[in-house]
Amino acid sequence: MSGLPGADLVLAGLNELGEAVPGECGLLVLLASPRLRSVGLQVPVRIDIRRPVEHQLYELLEMSHGENAYSRYNSLLRRMASFAHSLEQQRSQEMTDTVV
């Protein structure tokens, strides 16, 4: 994972998901968990966090970033999408290399 764009967010998020109250990275990873799991990452299940997770993340960002919450939210989503896409490409290449 290291070297992929947004890997820092994912690593921080995975660590935060082990804490009682995860921060923005933890909520971001939880939000992206279906896609991350589809490429083989082990993302903890947190049934104790209210759904939808998107709303929890945005509320947290509003508290910490005020009127810049919207920009921060979109930035985090773009970085996560970039990470997931890069990891999917990497896994696809690994599978192609294995078959050949």
Side-chain angles (χ1 to χ4, degrees):
M1 271 191 340
S2 100
L4 296 180
D8 57 326
L9 292 175
V10 174
L11 293 172
L14 290 171
N15 286 332
E16 286 180 11
L17 286 175
E19 298 173 5
V21 180
E24 65 184 51
C25 291
L27 292 173
L28 180 65
V29 167
L30 197 58
L31 173 62
S33 64
R35 189 171 181 188
L36 296 176
R37 286 186 185 114
S38 75
V39 290
L41 285 184
Q42 299 295 317
V43 179
V45 175
R46 291 290 302 265
I47 59 172
D48 60 312
I49 295 174
R50 283 187 300 131
R51 300 300 194 262
V53 176
E54 297 94 314
H55 293 185
Q56 302 312 310
L57 175 58
Y58 197 83
E59 287 175 13
L60 179 63
L61 294 173
E62 277 185 317
M63 288 188 294
S64 58
H65 296 280
E67 61 187 47
N68 294 321
Y70 183 75
S71 295
R72 177 72 177 163
Y73 181 79
N74 286 324
S75 174
L76 289 171
L77 292 181
R78 282 191 303 273
R79 289 182 64 197
M80 182 57 71
S82 181
F83 171 82
H85 178 73
S86 296
L87 186 57
E88 290 164 349
Q89 294 295 94
Q90 184 181 61
R91 297 287 164 92
S92 176
Q93 184 62 45
E94 288 170 359
M95 290 178 68
T96 301
D97 291 346
T98 303
V99 172
V100 173

